[in-house]
Each structure stands twice: as C-alpha cells, then as structure tokens.
Amino acid sequence: MNTQADDLAQDAEVYRTLLESTKAIPWKIDWKTLTFSYIGPQIETLLGWKRDSWQSIHDWSERMHPDDRERVVNFCVSQSQAGSDHEADYRALTATGEYVWIRDVVHIMRNETGEVDALIGFMFDITERKETEEQLLRLQQELQELSFKDALTGIANRRMFDERLEAEWCHAQHQKQPLSLIMVDVDLFKQYNDLYGHIQGDSCLKQVAGILSQCAARSRDFIARFGGEEFVLVLPDADANAALKVAERCRNQIFKAQIPHAASTISPVLTISMGVATQVPTRQDSLQDFVERVDRLLYQSKQQGRNRIAS
C-alpha cells in the first residue's frame, strides 16, 4: 500500500517537474472562490510578479492592459460559466511596467455532478508572434495603399478612382445630391515629351498633379491620375456652378505656374483642357454613361482648340 502511495507521489512529482520545466505557464483556479490554487514558477521569469502575489482572478485582470481587460474578462467569464474550453489573447503587465502578449488556453474541470469545479490552463508568451503579425499587417496595409497610389505622381490611381467614384455615385443616389466630375488632359503632352524628354515630362506631370490637388480643397474632393497625361477630379455634393469654378481654378493655376511648353501650338506655356459634368443620379442612371459623357466633353474641348472647359 505504501509502495502504491509512494509511486503516486513520485508520479505527481514527475508531472510537476515536467510542467514547471516548460516555457508554458501552468495554472489552476478554484471556480467557487475564484482564487489561484496553483501557478507555475515560470510566471516570475516572464512577468516578474512573485508566485504568491497571484491570489485571485482580480490579480489576473488588474495585470492586464486596460484596452484588453473588459473584452477578455467578459469573454473568459462567460465561457467558463457556460462550461466551454476557450482561448484568449491579451497584453499582460510586467512588474517593470511593460507589456507582453499572452495567450491563455483554458480547460474546464467538472465535479462528479457535472458542475464547473475548476479552471486549469496554460499561459503562453506570444509576444514575438504578435509582433510578427503586426509587422505583416503593416506591410499589407502599405501594399494596399501602394496598390491605390499612382507611382509617379503620388496621388490616387485609376483603380482607386473607380472605387471612389462608385461609392460617391451610390451616396449621391441615396442622398439625392449632385455629383460632379472633371476630366483633365494636359494639352499636347506628346510634343512636350518629345521636346523636353521623358524625365522632364514626368516632373511636369508631378507638378500638374500637385496644382490640381490644391484646387480641390474640400475634405471629400478627390483627385486621381486617370492615365498618361489625364487626371480626374470627383466633387461630391457640388453643383454645376461649383464644378465650373473648380475647373476654372485648375486652368488658371496651371497657367500661373508658367511651365514652359515651346512645342505647343496654342500657348508658350503649359495648358490643360477639361470636360465637366454634374448629375443628381437616380437608380435608372448609369455611372458608365456619366463617365462617358464627361469623356466626350473633354474630347470636345480639345476639338474646339484646347486650353478650355467644355460642360
């Protein structure tokens, strides 16, 4: 009999040694009293708090980042009350005032009647994993931003324009508000490139993009490079008069920049042509038809001599 008891005691000691030699931190909480009946010594290495300072779940919750506390505590308590095993990630406070990411894996222990008797689990240090995830997320966000940005001018690209215009079209439909669109073409840009070279041509397009961006000054006004030497301005909640004022401002500011264009047959400095249209869209209207209408107006302004606005 003593041999069996000795064997059990020896087995328990082996299990404890194994548990306390892992990097994972084992713990046990009595459900009725919500107090720790055990926590592994690794907790002192990871967080710096003495083992005997972990008395109850109050100590656990208070050593949690304030932004995580309510969410994690409510989730863990509700899952425990339901008798469901669960996991939770949160930032835990160290004794030196820093935070490390913890993953708690919780298992429910029941008594003979099936009621929750205790919670047992492991704390894992997942700080390195979280930092890697956050770095990957930042990279994904940067790639997402780059996918919507024109590489040359730094303003939005055609893809972003398509998405933004569709969103503003739906908003205008719902609110029964006007939506204005301006298409801009740099006059005789091929001749500009032929005379000054592509590097200077790229510099010119950057300058034009900067000037046009300043002309659309409201928070929801949007500018994008449509392609080549063409730009577009989306003006939500702008009626026809307001859109024409913006277009005229664009033309004047480009002229004031006095960008030399010796190869132009219409002006010694760079000029632009524009097509402008406004619509209060209904569900029967087509966004594609609207864009094509503005494109035809731009073509009309170029056919009529350039350096002008067609509306």
Side-chain angles (χ1 to χ4, degrees):
M1 188 70 176
N2 288 337
T3 302
Q4 186 177 9
D6 290 341
D7 288 344
L8 289 173
Q10 187 176 2
D11 288 344
E13 187 60 31
V14 169
Y15 292 140
R16 180 183 291 268
T17 302
L18 288 173
L19 283 175
E20 296 182 354
S21 65
T22 65
K23 289 185 178 181
I25 304 167
W27 54 265
K28 182 178 181 181
I29 289 177
D30 179 75
W31 181 242
K32 290 183 179 178
T33 62
L34 297 180
T35 58
F36 281 93
S37 57
Y38 176 78
I39 191 163
Q42 305 98 313
I43 196 71
E44 296 185 14
T45 303
L46 178 60
L47 300 181
W49 304 104
K50 297 295 184 182
R51 292 177 73 188
D52 57 12
S53 70
W54 296 84
Q55 297 296 317
S56 70
I57 65 165
H58 177 75
D59 300 305
W60 168 71
S61 64
E62 285 301 306
R63 292 168 181 171
M64 194 180 298
H65 195 289
D67 293 345
D68 300 335
R69 186 176 298 134
E70 183 178 0
R71 169 183 60 84
V72 173
V73 171
N74 289 344
F75 171 75
C76 289
V77 169
S78 65
Q79 292 297 300
S80 299
Q81 289 173 336
S84 301
D85 294 347
H86 55 279
E87 298 180 4
D89 294 352
Y90 58 88
R91 288 161 290 181
L93 179 67
T94 68
T96 57
E98 300 172 338
Y99 285 97
V100 297
W101 275 100
I102 294 291
R103 171 164 294 169
D104 248 331
V105 179
V106 185
H107 177 68
I108 307 299
M109 291 185 66
R110 302 175 185 275
N111 57 23
E112 296 81 0
T113 61
E115 297 176 333
V116 177
D117 182 55
L119 310 178
I120 60 171
F122 287 93
M123 292 181 185
F124 296 90
D125 178 6
I126 59 168
T127 302
E128 186 175 348
R129 183 190 307 177
K130 279 291 184 179
E131 289 175 349
T132 301
E133 289 175 357
E134 289 172 0
Q135 184 178 8
L136 288 172
L137 182 60
R138 285 194 298 270
L139 287 172
Q140 287 174 350
Q141 290 172 340
E142 289 174 7
L143 287 172
Q144 181 78 354
E145 291 174 3
L146 288 172
S147 71
F148 287 119
K149 184 180 290 186
D150 178 59
L152 175 64
T153 62
I155 62 174
N157 60 14
R158 173 67 181 272
R159 177 184 174 188
M160 183 62 181
F161 162 72
D162 290 339
E163 293 195 11
R164 182 65 174 269
L165 181 62
E166 183 175 359
E168 293 294 357
W169 177 266
C170 293
H171 177 81
Q173 274 185 342
H174 182 71
Q175 298 296 326
K176 297 180 174 57
Q177 293 295 318
L179 176 65
S180 293
L181 181 63
I182 303 174
M183 283 193 172
V184 182
D185 183 81
V186 178
D187 291 328
L188 304 170
F189 189 70
K190 181 183 182 302
Q191 290 84 340
Y192 185 96
N193 262 340
D194 290 343
L195 178 62
Y196 298 103
H198 289 284
I199 293 177
Q200 185 60 34
D202 288 349
S203 178
C204 174
L205 291 177
K206 292 178 188 177
Q207 190 173 356
V208 170
I211 294 169
L212 296 179
S213 296
Q214 293 174 359
C215 294
R218 298 179 310 161
S219 60
R220 282 177 57 205
D221 291 346
F222 176 79
I223 178 172
R225 186 181 178 195
F226 196 67
E229 66 273 20
E230 290 189 357
F231 298 86
V232 282
L233 286 83
V234 180
L235 308 175
D237 301 338
D239 60 21
N241 288 333
L244 284 173
K245 287 180 181 178
V246 172
E248 193 59 46
R249 189 184 309 136
C250 292
R251 197 169 74 93
N252 289 338
Q253 290 303 314
I254 292 292
F255 178 77
K256 286 181 180 179
Q258 293 290 292
I259 303 169
H261 190 349
S264 173
T265 56
I266 55 175
S267 171
V269 296
L270 195 79
T271 59
I272 55 175
S273 299
M274 283 173 283
V276 183
T278 300
Q279 187 163 337
V280 179
T282 66
R283 297 197 178 279
Q284 288 72 43
D285 295 321
S286 163
L287 175 56
Q288 183 177 347
D289 290 345
F290 178 54
V291 174
E292 289 176 354
R293 177 156 64 95
V294 183
D295 190 46
R296 287 194 298 271
L297 288 168
L298 173 61
Y299 180 78
Q300 178 182 320
S301 72
K302 292 193 287 186
Q303 288 297 103
Q304 293 176 348
R306 304 180 190 272
N307 189 24
R308 66 191 63 226
I309 301 167
S311 61

